[in-house]
Amino acid sequence: TSQLMKLPGIGPSFARRIVKYKERLGGYVIKEQLKEIYGFSDELYDKVAPLVYVDIFEVRKLTINECDYVTLIQHPYLTKEMVKNIIRYRKEYGKISSKNELIEHRIFTHDDWERLKWYIDF
């Protein structure tokens, strides 16, 4: 948080939110995800975007076949319905082996997958 507070417009509160959201996500894959943080305006984003970078190699993935409900529901991109459907699918059919299964069984839409692909591992 101390490094983040050196950025223009980022105080202790925003720095904590940035770190907390990063932890919930498993890491940032694009800078624009900062806009998903409560109170992070486009104006603030425009100030800090040129000064920050993301490292997709630091992203922590969820192993979708091993994570329990509590772990999955904490991810900000997974809805309650998605998590229930993942758990239900695993009980009925066993392990999920690909994105195609998630989409074919209407657990995720194509748009959901595009957003989540960085965070899901089989």
Side-chain angles (χ1 to χ4, degrees), residues 22 26-30 53-60:
K22 178 184 176 186
Y28 294 105
V29 292
I30 57 172
Y53 70 94
V54 295
D55 186 352
I56 61 170
F57 296 107
E58 290 186 15
V59 171
R60 185 184 69 252

Side-chain angles (χ1 to χ4, degrees), residues 1-117:
T1 58
S2 59
Q3 288 179 326
L4 289 168
M5 288 189 295
K6 293 176 184 175
L7 296 170
I10 304 294
S13 178
F14 264 127
R16 282 191 301 274
R17 283 188 221 161
I18 292 166
V19 170
K20 185 177 179 180
Y21 196 63
K22 178 184 176 186
E23 289 169 0
R24 287 187 62 215
L25 277 172
Y28 294 105
V29 292
I30 57 172
K31 293 178 191 183
E32 287 80 3
Q33 288 174 297
L34 291 170
K35 294 179 183 180
E36 298 169 11
I37 298 168
Y38 176 76
F40 210 102
S41 67
D42 289 339
E43 181 182 318
L44 180 56
Y45 175 79
D46 291 341
K47 286 181 188 176
V48 301
L51 306 171
V52 298
Y53 70 94
V54 295
D55 186 352
I56 61 170
F57 296 107
E58 290 186 15
V59 171
R60 185 184 69 252
K61 293 189 174 217
L62 296 169
T63 306
I64 199 167
N65 289 306
E66 296 175 10
C67 292
D68 62 5
Y69 180 90
V70 173
T71 303
L72 292 171
I73 200 66
Q74 291 177 26
H75 196 281
Y77 293 169
L78 290 171
T79 66
K80 188 175 183 179
E81 183 179 343
M82 288 175 183
V83 173
K84 284 182 178 183
N85 287 335
I86 290 166
I87 302 295
R88 186 178 307 123
Y89 183 92
R90 291 187 330 204
K91 285 180 183 176
E92 287 182 35
Y93 303 106
K95 290 186 174 190
I96 301 167
S97 61
S98 71
K99 74 168 187 157
N100 294 337
E101 283 182 70
L102 292 166
I103 293 169
E104 288 171 12
H105 290 271
R106 296 185 178 166
I107 296 170
F108 293 171
T109 65
H110 287 282
D111 288 342
D112 295 332
W113 176 252
E114 284 305 308
R115 196 171 188 203
L116 281 157
K117 68 183 177 185

